[in-house]
C-alpha cells in the first residue's frame, strides 16, 4: 500500500485527521534547522525514491562528533535504504526532516520482506537521541525482525524523544530498551506486530502522549517487565492517545484484527488517562464490520496505577482486563463488549467507578479483596455486577435494567462462590411496582445488603440463599 493510498484511507475514514483536536497530528511543513545541521544530500543522498541512499546517510551520521552531537537533516524526498542506518557511540544526535514529505523507506517483496530496523541506535555509548518530522515506511516487512526505530546493546538508551513522526507498515514503530522516553504526536499505523514494544527491567520517566495508533495487531502499546523481582518499569504516562482497531483484511490481505490496545506486565506507578479506544473496523463493499479480538487495556502483575477518563468501544473481549494487581483506581465509560466491560481477577485494594453499558456483564470481580465499587452498570446483557469468591468490599452502584437477554438467574448485583464480608448499599430507585435485583447464592456468608438512605428494602428486592447474610441491616 503506497503512502498516498494510506493517507487517503485515513483522511477519508477517520475524521480525527480532518477536525481540530488538542492532540491533532498535522504536517506542519519545514522545521528550522541550526547552522550546524548536516544535510544528507551533501553526502550524496538523492532522496529520489530510486537510488540506494544507505551509504550516504550512514556517512552523514558517522560524521557527527561523538561528544558534541549534531543534527542530521533530511530535506523533502524519499530516501530508499537497503540496510539499517546505525547510530553508534553518539550523544545528543538528532535526525529530522520537513514533516511527512521526508520519507525514510525500505522496500521488500512478499517473498523477500525487509528484516531490519530502519534506524538502529546502539545503547552502548549513546544518549539523548531525537527523531522528529519524518515518515518511516517499509513495504513488505518481516513480522519478527523489522521495525521503524530499534535499540541494541547491553545498556539502555537514555533520554530518547520521538515527535511528529509517521510510522507506516514498519511492523513495529519502536522496539528495544530505554530508560527515558517521550513519544508524542506521532502516527503509528499498519504494524503487524504492534506499535510500541518495550521489554526490559529499567524503563522510567516515560510519556506516550497525543499519538494516533491505527490498525496495529498484537498491541498498540506493549510494555513488559522482564524481571520477576524488580519494579524497574515505572513512572509512565499514557495520555491523550487515539487507538483505532487492528489490521483488518481490507487494509492488508491475510491479516485479521487481533490484539490488545495497551498490554502491560510488571509495571508500577503509571497513569492511563484521556485516551479513546475504538476496536471496530467499519464494513465496506468487500468485508463486513468486525470488532478487534482482544482487550482495550490488559494489565497483569502491576501496582499503584490510575486508569481514568478513557472511553472504550467495540473490542471483542473486555474493555479493561486486570489480573494480579494491587493499589489502583479505574474510571471511564465502556460500551459494547462481548465479555465483562471490566474484568478484575486476583486483585486487592482497588476502586472502580465506571459507566458500563451494552456488554455481557458490566463488572466482574473474582478472587479479590478490599474493593470499593461505584458507578453505573446498566443495560448489559446479563448481570450488572458479579462478585465471585471475593471479600471485604463495598458496592454502592446503580445496576438497573440489566439482563437484556431475559435469561433466568441474572441480576443487577450477584454475589457467589464463597463471597463474604461485602457490603451492598442499594442506590437503585424503588418506584411503584419495581424491585431491585440483588442476589446472594448459597455459598455466600457474612455479607450485608442495605438501602443507602436507611429506608427498608422493598419486599423481594433481595434474593438471599446464603449463610448469616444481613439483609436490610444498617450495621
Amino acid at each position: 500500500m503506497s503512502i498516498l493510498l494510506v493517507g487517503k484511507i485515513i483522511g477519508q475514514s477517520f475524521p480525527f485527521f480532518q477536525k481540530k483536536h488538542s492532540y491533532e497530528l498535522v504536517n506542519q511543513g519545514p522545521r528550522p534547522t541550526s547552522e550546524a545541521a548536516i544535510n544528507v544530500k551533501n553526502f550524496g543522498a538523492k532522496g529520489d525514491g530510486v537510488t540506494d541512499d544507505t551509504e550516504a546517510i550512514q556517512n552523514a551520521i558517522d560524521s557527527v562528533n561523538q561528544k558534541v552531537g549534531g543534527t542530521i537533516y533530511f530535506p523533502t524526498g524519499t530516501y530508499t535504504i537497503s540496510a539499517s542506518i546505525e547510530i553508534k557511540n553518539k550523544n545528543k544526535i538528532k535526525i529530522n526532516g520537513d514533516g511527512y514529505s521526508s520519507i525514510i523507506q525500505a522496500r521488500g517483496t512478499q517473498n523477500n520482506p525487509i528484516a531490519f530496523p530502519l534506524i538502529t541506535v546502539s545503547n552502548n555509548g549513546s544518549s539523548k537521541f531525537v527523531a522528529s518530522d519524518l515518515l518511516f515506511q517499509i513495504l513488505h516487512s518481516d513480522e519478527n525482525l523489522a521495525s521503524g526505530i530499534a535499540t541494541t546493546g547491553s545498556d539502555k538508551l537514555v533520554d530518547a524523544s520521538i515527535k511528529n513522526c509517521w510510522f507506516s507498515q514498519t511492523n513495529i514503530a519502536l522496539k528495544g530498551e530505554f530508560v527515558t522516553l517521550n513519544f508524542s504526536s506521532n502516527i503509528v499505523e499498519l504494524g503487524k506486530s504492534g506499535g510500541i514494544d518495550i521489554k526490559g527491567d529499567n524503563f522510567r520517566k516515560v510519556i506516550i502522549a497525543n499519538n494516533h495508533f491505527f490498525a496495529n495487531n498484537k498491541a498498540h502499546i506493549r510494555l513488559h517487565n522482564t524481571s520477576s523481582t524488580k519494579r524497574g518499569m515505572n513512572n509512565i504516562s499514557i495520555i491523550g492517545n487515539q487507538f483505532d482497531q487492528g489490521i483488518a483484511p481490507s487494509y492488508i490481505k491475510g491479516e485479521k484484527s487481533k490484539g490488545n490496545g495497551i498490554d502491560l506486565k510488571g509495571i508500577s506507578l503509571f497513569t492511563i488517562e484521556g485516551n479513546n479506544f475504538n476496536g471496530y473496523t467499519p464494513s465496506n463493499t468487500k468485508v463486513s464490520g468486525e470488532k478487534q479480538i482482544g482487550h482495550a487495556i490488559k494489565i497483569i502483575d502491576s501496582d499503584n496505577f490510575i486508569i481514568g477518563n478513557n472511553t472504550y468501544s467495540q473490542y471483542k473481549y473486555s474493555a479493561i482486563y486486570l489480573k494480579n494487581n494491587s493499589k489502583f483506581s479505574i474510571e471511564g465509560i465502556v460500551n459494547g463488549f462481548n465479555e465483562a466491560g471490566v474484568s478484575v481477577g486476583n486483585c486487592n485494594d482497588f476502586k472502580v467507578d465506571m459507566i458500563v453499558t451494552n456488554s455481557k456483564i458490566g463488572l466482574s470481580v473474582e478472587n479479590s479483596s478490599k474493593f470499593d465499587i461505584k458507578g453505573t452498570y446498566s443495560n448489559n446483557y446479563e448481570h450488572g455486577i458479579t462478585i465471585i469468591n471475593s471479600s471485604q468490599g463495598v458496592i454502592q452502584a446503580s445496576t438497573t435494567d440489566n439482563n437484556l437477554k431475559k435469561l433466568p438467574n441474572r441480576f443487577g448485583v450477584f454475589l457467589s462462590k464463597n463471597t463474604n464480608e461485602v457490603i451492598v448499599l442499594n442506590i437503585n430507585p424503588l418506584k411503584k411496582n419495581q424491585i431491585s435485583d440483588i442476589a446472594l447464592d448459597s455459598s455466600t456468608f457474612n455479607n450485608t445488603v442495605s438501602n443507602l438512605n436507611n429506608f427498608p428494602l422493598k419486599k423481594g428486592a433481595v434474593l438471599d440463599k446464603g449463610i448469616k447474610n444481613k439483609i436490610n441491616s444498617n450495621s
Side-chain angles (χ1 to χ4, degrees):
M1 184 181 295
S2 70
I3 276 296
L4 290 177
L5 179 56
V6 170
K8 184 177 180 182
I9 288 174
I10 292 179
Q12 291 179 349
S13 301
F14 297 93
F16 171 86
F17 286 94
Q18 300 169 341
K19 300 178 181 179
K20 291 184 178 180
H21 294 262
S22 60
Y23 45 82
E24 185 178 17
L25 307 178
V26 294
N27 182 358
Q28 299 177 358
R31 303 301 196 272
T33 57
S34 67
E35 293 181 1
I38 299 170
N39 190 323
V40 294
K41 288 192 173 182
N42 292 339
F43 283 77
K46 300 298 183 183
D48 57 12
V50 178
T51 305
D52 187 344
D53 288 328
T54 308
E55 184 176 358
I57 296 171
Q58 189 64 62
N59 288 339
I61 287 175
D62 291 344
S63 73
V64 174
N65 184 283
Q66 191 270 336
K67 293 183 179 179
V68 176
T71 298
I72 304 297
Y73 171 55
F74 292 79
T76 295
T78 299
Y79 299 86
T80 302
I81 61 175
S82 57
S84 184
I85 303 300
E86 298 184 346
I87 299 174
K88 295 181 179 179
N89 301 319
K90 304 292 183 184
N91 291 312
K92 302 178 183 178
I93 188 167
K94 301 178 182 179
I95 59 172
N96 68 17
D98 290 335
Y100 305 150
S101 61
S102 296
I103 306 168
I104 300 176
Q105 181 189 90
R107 294 198 299 265
T109 65
Q110 189 170 356
N111 295 327
N112 188 25
I114 296 300
F116 56 81
L118 297 178
I119 303 292
T120 300
V121 185
S122 174
N123 297 330
N124 298 325
S126 296
S127 65
K128 297 187 183 301
F129 167 73
V130 176
S132 66
D133 307 298
L134 290 163
L135 192 157
F136 299 92
Q137 184 188 39
I138 297 177
L139 305 180
H140 296 291
S141 59
D142 181 275
E143 292 190 30
N144 298 310
L145 300 174
S147 61
I149 298 174
T151 68
T152 185
S154 58
D155 295 329
K156 280 77 175 175
L157 181 62
V158 177
D159 203 1
S161 177
I162 300 168
K163 297 182 178 181
N164 299 311
C165 291
W166 187 346
F167 297 85
S168 179
Q169 304 181 75
T170 57
N171 184 51
I172 293 175
L174 186 63
K175 183 178 182 179
E177 294 189 57
F178 300 81
V179 174
T180 58
L181 173 68
N182 186 338
F183 189 89
S184 300
S185 300
N186 303 291
I187 300 172
V188 180
E189 61 159 7
L190 300 170
K192 290 183 285 187
S193 295
I196 296 176
D197 188 1
I198 308 297
K199 295 178 181 178
D201 60 5
N202 192 7
F203 184 61
R204 60 185 186 273
K205 297 181 181 178
V206 174
I207 297 173
I208 302 173
N210 304 325
N211 304 286
H212 187 192
F213 295 89
F214 163 70
N216 301 295
N217 279 354
K218 295 189 177 177
H220 295 300
I221 297 174
R222 180 169 51 232
L223 310 177
H224 281 198
N225 183 4
T226 55
S227 172
S228 60
T229 59
K230 177 183 176 183
R231 278 285 195 262
M233 281 192 168
N234 55 56
N235 288 293
I236 298 167
S237 296
I238 303 175
I239 54 177
N241 301 284
Q242 174 73 28
F243 298 92
D244 282 319
Q245 71 228 49
I247 303 178
S250 54
Y251 300 122
I252 296 180
K253 186 178 180 181
E255 293 290 332
K256 187 171 182 63
S257 180
K258 187 175 183 179
N260 303 311
I262 295 176
D263 189 328
L264 307 182
K265 183 177 181 181
I267 318 295
S268 183
L269 298 170
F270 61 90
T271 300
I272 302 173
E273 194 166 26
N275 304 282
N276 182 45
F277 297 85
N278 172 29
Y280 189 69
T281 301
S283 60
N284 59 29
T285 55
K286 295 182 179 180
V287 297
S288 58
E290 61 176 327
K291 295 180 179 180
Q292 183 167 340
I293 302 173
H295 307 283
I297 296 176
K298 180 180 179 180
I299 301 174
I300 296 176
D301 299 332
S302 299
D303 61 70
N304 291 287
F305 58 87
I306 296 172
I307 303 175
N309 296 319
N310 304 290
T311 57
Y312 313 82
S313 64
Q314 303 295 314
Y315 282 74
K316 198 163 187 177
Y317 299 153
S318 293
I320 303 174
Y321 177 87
L322 306 172
K323 188 174 182 180
N324 300 332
N325 304 299
S326 65
K327 298 180 180 178
F328 60 86
S329 65
I330 61 175
E331 61 181 49
I333 301 172
V334 170
N335 178 61
F337 284 79
N338 289 24
E339 296 186 359
V342 179
S343 178
V344 180
N346 300 305
C347 296
N348 66 81
D349 194 6
F350 60 90
K351 296 179 180 180
V352 180
D353 190 348
M354 300 287 296
I355 298 173
V356 184
T357 58
N358 296 312
S359 300
K360 181 179 180 180
I361 297 171
L363 167 66
S364 174
V365 176
E366 186 169 359
N367 300 320
S368 299
S369 64
K370 298 180 181 178
F371 51 85
D372 184 354
I373 297 171
K374 293 182 174 68
T376 301
Y377 308 85
S378 301
N379 294 299
N380 295 293
Y381 293 100
E382 295 188 14
H383 301 287
I385 296 173
T386 62
I387 309 295
I388 304 169
N389 195 31
S390 298
S391 64
Q392 301 177 60
V394 177
I395 302 172
Q396 185 177 317
S398 175
T399 56
T400 59
D401 301 320
N402 290 290
N403 193 15
L404 298 183
K405 289 186 176 180
K406 305 299 181 183
L407 299 170
N409 300 318
R410 300 296 190 274
F411 309 98
V413 178
F414 182 43
L415 277 57
S416 68
K417 296 183 179 178
N418 299 309
T419 289
N420 65 91
E421 297 183 42
V422 171
I423 299 172
V424 182
L425 297 175
N426 177 48
I427 66 172
N428 294 324
L430 296 178
K431 299 178 182 178
K432 186 178 180 180
N433 300 322
Q434 179 182 336
I435 63 172
S436 298
D437 53 349
I438 300 170
L440 300 84
D441 78 5
S442 58
S443 66
T444 61
F445 59 96
N446 292 339
N447 300 288
T448 301
V449 180
S450 173
N451 261 336
L452 181 64
N453 296 317
N454 296 332
F455 296 117
L457 285 164
K458 191 172 182 179
K459 184 177 180 181
V462 180
L463 176 61
D464 176 26
K465 296 184 178 180
I467 303 170
K468 297 183 179 180
N469 293 315
K470 300 177 182 179
I471 309 303
N472 207 32
S473 169
N474 298 308
S475 60

